[in-house]
């Protein structure tokens, strides 16, 4: 028998793990729309992030938890890795085509750990650009020095010219000042990126600890608020803008009492935000205006159709019933 040390190892790439996580998410009835996933593999452990849609109205916490548990278990089973689904990003909320989903008002239980205020971005683009610039400069300098010391070639003209220019340029020169200012601005920009979250368009859902967080996109929150306000009697159209601290709702009223409609629309928007269970729910700013065809009185309900009269023959005899 071949010893275990000589059998080799099987490495599962992060891309394969991400594809398996995507497929596992689509196996659950809670996932709607396009599912996307990313993964990071470190030895025998993997961290998976899934982006998908959820049916609405429904208990978001419970359904999201079911997706997370299934993705973690299924991905670990197929890859042999220890998988922890750290993030589930809900990109949108969609009403099912076959009917409605019962909404449960029971809040998810907290895990006893600190809930993060918001998601932090890894800033991949600034990190990659900075690393490429530094690696390119270091690679050029290393290649030129290796060419000089190993092969006896003359130093490159760009290096000697740069050294001569730095040796003869005064520290108070304009070019030096501009270069120093540009480097200072770049450094301050990198510090700002490191100290700010970056993912401002995602709201964290309350009830989960730091190890398992769920976030809603602003577009998903806006769709929920829009659907709830549109259910108000007399409201014709609704526009919703979701910010970090405020939700701006602009509604057009076609008929009905304006004060009553404003109160109902505001209550519907606040109830929709409460159903989303955000960690830091924003305030609602409602603006209700009447349309050009606004009628202050609601339309009268149509009368219920009565029995159809049966024509009576001229002789006064009742019509005979057909067998």
């Amino acid at each position: 028998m071949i010893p275990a040390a000589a059998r080799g190892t099987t490495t599962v790439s992060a891309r394969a793990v991400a594809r398996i996580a995507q497929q596992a998410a689509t196996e659950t009835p809670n996932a709607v729309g396009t599912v996307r996933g990313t993964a990071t593999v470190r030895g025998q452990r993997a961290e998976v992030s899934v982006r998908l849609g959820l049916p609405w109205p429904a208990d978001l916490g419970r359904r999201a938890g079911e997706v997370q548990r299934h993705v973690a278990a299924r991905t670990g089973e197929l890859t042999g890795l220890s998988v922890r689904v750290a993030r589930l990003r809900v990109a949108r909320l969609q009403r099912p085509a076959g009917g409605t989903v019962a909404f449960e008002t029971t809040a998810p239980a907290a895990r006893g750990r600190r809930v993060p205020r918001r998601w932090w971005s890894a800033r991949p683009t600034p990190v990659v650009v900075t690393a490429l610039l530094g690696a390119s400069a270091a690679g050029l300098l290393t290649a030129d020095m290796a060419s000089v010391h190993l092969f006896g070639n003359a130093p490159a003209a760009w290096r000697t010219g740069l050294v001569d220019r730095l040796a003869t340029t005064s520290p108070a020169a304009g070019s030096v000042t501009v270069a120093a200012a540009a480097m200072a601005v770049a450094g301050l920009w990198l510090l700002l990126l490191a100290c700010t979250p970056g993912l401002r368009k995602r709201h964290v859902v309350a009830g989960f600890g730091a190890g398992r967080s769920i976030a809603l996109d602003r577009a998903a929150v806006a769709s929920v608020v829009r659907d709830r306000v549109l259910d108000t009697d007399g409201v014709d159209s609704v526009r919703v803008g979701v910010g970090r601290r405020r939700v701006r709702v602009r509604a057009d009223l076609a008929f009905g009492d304006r004060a009553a409609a404003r109160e109902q629309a505001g209550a519907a928007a606040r109830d929709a935000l409460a159903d989303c269970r955000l960690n830091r729910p924003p305030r609602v700013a409602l603006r209700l205006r009447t349309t050009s065809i606004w009628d202050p009185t609601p339309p009268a309900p149509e009368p219920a159709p009565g029995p159809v009269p049966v024509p009576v023959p001229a002789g006064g005899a009742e019509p005979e019933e057909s067998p």
Side-chain angles (χ1 to χ4, degrees):
M1 178 179 292
I2 303 176
R7 297 175 190 172
T9 58
T10 302
T11 303
V12 183
S13 64
R15 183 177 181 182
V17 175
R19 295 292 296 273
I20 293 174
Q22 290 178 199
Q23 182 61 32
T26 58
E27 295 174 357
T28 62
N30 297 326
V32 295
T34 304
V35 180
R36 300 185 182 276
T38 58
T40 302
V41 180
R42 297 183 177 91
Q44 296 298 317
R45 299 184 61 183
E47 296 181 358
V48 179
S49 178
V50 181
R51 177 182 181 272
L52 77 169
L54 290 179
W56 176 264
D59 186 349
L60 297 181
R62 180 179 62 82
R63 291 182 177 273
E66 292 175 357
V67 174
Q68 286 182 318
R69 288 188 293 270
H70 179 77
V71 170
R74 186 63 172 164
T75 307
E77 177 185 355
L78 295 178
T79 61
L81 302 174
S82 175
V83 180
R84 184 188 68 176
V85 181
R87 286 184 172 183
L88 176 63
R89 176 185 173 188
V90 181
R92 63 172 182 165
L93 300 176
Q94 178 176 331
R95 291 181 179 271
T100 60
V101 181
F103 181 77
E104 300 178 5
T105 58
T106 304
R111 303 298 179 181
R113 293 174 289 182
R114 184 181 64 86
V115 179
R117 286 188 173 184
R118 59 181 64 93
W119 279 9
W120 284 70
S121 172
R123 307 289 188 180
T125 301
V127 170
V128 170
V129 171
T130 305
L132 287 177
L133 291 177
S136 300
L140 288 175
L141 182 60
T142 302
D144 184 61
M145 295 182 64
S147 176
V148 172
H149 293 285
L150 296 179
F151 303 102
N153 297 328
W158 63 267
R159 184 161 67 95
T160 56
L162 179 62
V163 172
D164 294 340
R165 186 173 181 179
L166 292 176
T168 58
T169 302
S170 172
S175 58
V176 176
T177 304
V178 171
M183 295 180 65
V185 170
L188 291 176
W189 177 248
L190 292 177
L191 288 176
L192 178 64
L193 295 180
C195 297
T196 53
L199 301 178
R200 299 175 61 87
K201 294 185 177 181
R202 304 178 192 175
H203 291 273
V204 177
V205 179
F208 297 90
R212 199 188 73 172
S213 60
I214 299 173
L216 285 176
D217 282 2
R218 290 183 180 179
V221 178
S223 66
V224 173
V225 176
R226 186 183 305 108
D227 290 344
R228 288 292 186 88
V229 177
L230 277 175
D231 292 338
T232 304
D233 294 337
V235 173
D236 181 64
S237 62
V238 179
R239 296 176 299 278
V240 180
V242 179
R244 186 165 62 92
R245 297 182 179 179
R246 184 175 301 177
V247 175
R248 293 178 174 85
V249 181
R250 296 175 176 86
D252 296 334
L253 186 65
F255 62 86
D257 183 69
R258 185 174 181 178
R262 180 181 180 84
E263 182 179 356
Q264 294 177 8
R270 289 188 291 271
D271 291 343
L273 289 177
D275 291 342
C276 292
R277 301 190 182 109
L278 304 181
N279 185 27
R280 303 182 68 183
R283 299 190 303 271
V284 176
L286 174 64
R287 179 183 177 185
L288 182 66
R289 64 179 184 180
T290 58
T291 61
S292 58
I293 60 173
W294 173 63
D295 185 0
T297 59
E302 297 183 358
V308 179
V310 179
V312 180
E318 295 292 335
E320 295 181 359
E321 296 182 359
S322 59

